[in-house]
Amino acid sequence: MPTAAQERVIRPARNILGSLRLPGDKSISHRYGMLAAFAEGTSRFQNFSTGADCASTLACMQALGATARTLDDGTLEVTGVGGHVTPSHQPLDCGNSGSTMRMISGLLAPQQGRFTLVGDASLTRRPMERIRKPLEAMGAKLTLTEGHAPILIEGAPLQAIDYTTPVPSAQVKTCILLAGLQTTGKTSVHESVRTRDHSELALRAFGATVERSIDAVSIEGPQALHGIDAVVPGDLSSAAFFLCAASIFEGSSLVIEGLGLNPTRAALLDVLTALGAHIAVLELEEKHAELVGTVQITLPPTGLKSTEISGALAAQLIDELPVLAAIGPYTSGGIRIRDARELRVKESDRIALVAKNLRAMGAEVSEFDDGLDVPGGQKLHGATIDSGGDHRIAMAFSVAALRAEGETLIQGAESAAISFPEFFDLLEQVADR
């Protein structure tokens, strides 16, 4: 129950039981919304993300000339600008969304006009140098503020590039591909670790030709996009909180329907299986090249074991690492996380906040520059949790609180609306008390 506008009390649960259908995948919604607004014609989407971040993407694209409206049945209808935006006289407000800022920079760099991108205090702290380097190599003109937003883009024709990303990032890859879409020649992005491929799949869905090799993705420009009708699958990163909640109660049984199961995102299911949870995919189909299915998770009496997450796996699971660390005390052998330095430059320093909040709940935890060691076999007690205004921290510790002794107060709980406004209501729905 809410005790104030920014706080939420989580009471312990006995189990996690029931079934859910989750709001649309945030990563896919960002890309569908941006591409639809840039394309020719009108697109219609069912189950588009309800998160504030995706609303920021739509608002920016509307300021650039696209139209977006929600129909009576909840369908989102977007009419695009046919590949040519109208520069806004006002700064484009990306809110809290790094995805919006990094991806739209690639979309705007080849366009005519001047564009200013701004964001909230959290977004203004996040690194943007990683998009400036490849875009400037293509001939773009970007001005940053000490490596951060605000970003000033002076649109100009670009040249194709062959680029290797120094840090694996789906957002940087997308930024380059969206610039390459409008640039004569073949633009290629090489990755040491394959990142989520929603952009490649979405570009193909909107009619673009995109090539994929073992370690690179390429696009030949310029190409035109055309509107589509699509159902956005449920968000696997949002599902992570419920899957982890079900994994800490012996005898739990949770079914999540219509869930996006893209192989570049589904590593969480492998990790939970390795920890000892039983996961079954009951149905599986393909929609616009995205895999969608129904997942059932149960935890046998043997409980959770232990695991280490590092290397490429850490990059694939970067959004899910906070909640995995938060349930680490409930495993028998603990969870070790390494090669996850990127967590320190997300909406908050997620490594530091996870360690701080686990300690507040009575856990032992060791913090490292690039990760955490969370020993298993520990009991947690209720505490006051500092979310740092970070949606994933607020939700991760709401999950940990379900098996703690006593009530837990989540400060900054409203931050969950950034990605998942329905989170607390759905958590109450499946928490058996």
Side-chain angles (χ1 to χ4, degrees), residues 130-308:
R130 58 187 60 178
I131 60 167
R132 185 189 65 79
K133 289 183 178 179
L135 288 178
E136 287 195 343
M138 297 179 78
K141 299 176 182 178
L142 274 74
T143 303
L144 275 62
T145 306
E146 296 181 352
H148 303 276
I151 301 176
L152 173 63
I153 300 172
E154 297 184 46
L158 304 184
Q159 60 194 25
I161 189 177
D162 196 297
Y163 189 76
T164 300
T165 55
V167 176
S169 169
Q171 294 174 4
V172 174
K173 174 178 66 176
T174 303
C175 170
I176 300 168
L177 291 176
L178 292 180
L181 174 73
Q182 307 167 66
T183 301
T184 300
K186 184 176 184 178
T187 294
S188 299
V189 183
H190 299 263
E191 303 178 295
S192 59
V193 175
R194 184 172 179 178
T195 59
R196 56 186 63 176
D197 63 358
H198 298 304
S199 295
E200 298 96 301
L201 300 182
L203 281 163
R204 288 176 183 147
F206 280 85
T209 299
V210 182
E211 298 176 2
R212 178 84 222 185
S213 65
I214 293 175
D215 68 341
V217 57
S218 303
I219 190 165
E220 187 95 26
Q223 298 188 54
L225 304 180
H226 305 280
I228 64 170
D229 291 354
V231 178
V232 181
D235 193 306
L236 185 56
S237 292
S238 295
F241 300 101
F242 299 95
L243 294 169
C244 286
S247 73
I248 60 176
F249 291 96
E250 295 174 14
S252 62
S253 180
L254 179 67
V255 173
I256 303 180
E257 302 172 353
L259 190 60
L261 295 174
N262 183 303
T264 63
R265 292 278 297 284
L268 174 71
L269 304 183
D270 297 329
V271 169
L272 290 176
T273 299
L275 277 168
H278 287 177
I279 295 178
V281 178
L282 306 179
E283 299 173 8
L284 193 64
E285 58 182 328
E286 188 176 295
K287 295 181 178 180
H288 290 292
E290 293 282 0
L291 291 178
V292 184
T294 296
V295 170
Q296 181 181 40
I297 181 169
T298 57
L299 183 67
T302 49
L304 295 179
K305 297 175 285 192
S306 65
T307 193
E308 177 174 337

Side-chain angles (χ1 to χ4, degrees), residues 375-399:
Q378 303 189 71
K379 292 184 178 180
L380 302 185
H381 58 69
T384 297
I385 296 300
D386 174 12
S387 73
D390 188 324
H391 54 125
R392 296 202 189 278
I393 298 296
M395 292 187 282
F397 282 90
S398 297
V399 171

Side-chain angles (χ1 to χ4, degrees), residues 327-387:
I327 66 168
Y330 300 129
T331 65
S332 62
I335 290 180
R336 168 174 285 189
I337 296 169
R338 291 292 187 277
D339 304 317
R341 193 174 286 103
E342 182 73 7
L343 286 175
R344 293 200 181 272
V345 293
K346 290 288 189 177
E347 284 82 333
S348 68
D349 182 339
R350 288 178 173 165
I351 292 175
L353 274 179
V354 167
K356 174 184 177 180
N357 289 315
L358 280 174
R359 290 175 183 137
M361 298 183 79
E364 292 183 18
V365 55
S366 299
E367 179 181 346
F368 299 88
D369 182 51
D370 66 341
L372 298 155
D373 281 354
V374 185
Q378 303 189 71
K379 292 184 178 180
L380 302 185
H381 58 69
T384 297
I385 296 300
D386 174 12
S387 73

Side-chain angles (χ1 to χ4, degrees), residues 64 84-89 92 107-116 141-142 152-157:
L64 293 164
H84 300 284
V85 305
T86 302
S88 171
H89 297 297
L92 300 171
L107 192 75
L108 296 179
Q111 292 283 309
Q112 291 186 344
R114 290 166 60 93
F115 311 91
T116 301
K141 299 176 182 178
L142 274 74
L152 173 63
I153 300 172
E154 297 184 46

